[in-house]
Amino acid sequence: MFFGLALFVGSFGASAQCSDYKWPQDQAKAEKYVDAFKTAIKEQNYKGATAGIQWMIANAPQWHSDLYVAALDTYDKLAGQEMDPRTKQGYIDSLLIIYDLRIKSCGDEMNVLNRKAFSANKYNGQNKDKAKEVLAIFDKTYEVSGNNVFDNNLLAYMDVIKINAEAKALNEDQIVQRYNKLIEVIDSKVKRAEEQNKTADIDKYKKVTSAIDVRLAKVVKINCAFVKKVFEPKFKANPNDAAMAKKIYQYLLTDKCTDDPTWLEAAEVLHKTVPDFGVNKELCSKYIQTKNLDKAIPLLTEVEAKATTPSEKAWIDLLKGDIEFQKGNKPGARDLYKKALVSDPASKDAYEKIGDLYSASAADCSKTTGSAEEKLVYIAAYQQYYKAANIEKCQQTLTKYPSAAELQKANWKAGEVKKLACWIDESVTVKARKE
């Protein structure tokens, strides 16, 4: 019936708000229908209320907004209580049409659309056959509402986007387009909350954004390329945005793209705005890797003052060791790495860094390039990588062991113990690499 009514009321102006009672010519008959549906609703006889509601919508669609409040409540209750899937879907379809009828007869499009979107997601949000319809409702709601979308339609929109993406109804660009719009709305709400000093709202929107990003990661691959395409332009436009900096920092770190200048910029923003031991540690490590000791050393002093746990204190020693490594002081670096193991015996990173030291010392520990003696450092390094449980570096190091021919040339045999006559000053058991 309501499909026909949608056409019937199409001639009414949407500007009317239905705030004043407008009775039809046969007011007495209309009053009986109004009394009938009100009584039925009061008695929770929702099926009994439908006849009066339908008559009023057909004959007095601009009677009052109370008509649509009653109609929506009635069909919501019917949809919620119905067990038969087909009948239930009929009530849901009618419920959504009533929202359209209210807009046509009484206007107030933004508010009504937001309520329609909520109901559409409530009943059809997980219905794959209705996914496109629900998405269209949300798209229209966001188009009409601008930054005034209702809060309960924020995360819900991402859920609707997600189910359509999983059904291959949206490509990556279409997902990103809607995601960007959604984040723009939330950013506007956050700004408003900040101006009004509503900290609870700010925290709420941050949690919603985090939940949205979790869902986004399930439908698109958030790798370095995606970050450059979607997040970096926003960050460049507002380089002090700590929330965006955090996304860029984390995603690029996860995808091992910390050589990207944008990652460094994001880390520096977080260092200034949201101090965090983990961020500062990674930032300091990057400064050391790029030999920017002028920035690394002051930051290390700052980080050290905030280190409280054994793990954090161990990382300070590791970073100090890295600086000594950069300066060429390998014995001093090893001492600091070993000190890290005292602070945190479970620190496998210390073993890995000692292994790196040994691997970089071939020229220090032999007079002859390419000799078996020179390659003893890799046997020493392997022992450290093994303790670090770094399988990849263990395998790489095994390929650098001396060959059987090199052992024969040195007049050595596998199984002999040899001491590295250099700063390493350790003994290793001679082994040949597998050819």
Side-chain angles (χ1 to χ4, degrees), residues 116-133:
K116 180 183 179 182
F118 177 81
S119 292
N121 184 58
K122 175 182 176 181
Y123 289 113
N124 290 335
Q126 298 303 312
N127 185 341
K128 294 181 180 180
D129 295 333
K130 295 285 185 176
K132 288 185 179 180
E133 294 178 25

Side-chain angles (χ1 to χ4, degrees), residues 414-425:
E416 291 181 344
V417 176
K418 297 293 180 181
K419 189 170 186 178
L420 282 77
C422 60
W423 72 269
I424 295 178
D425 193 30

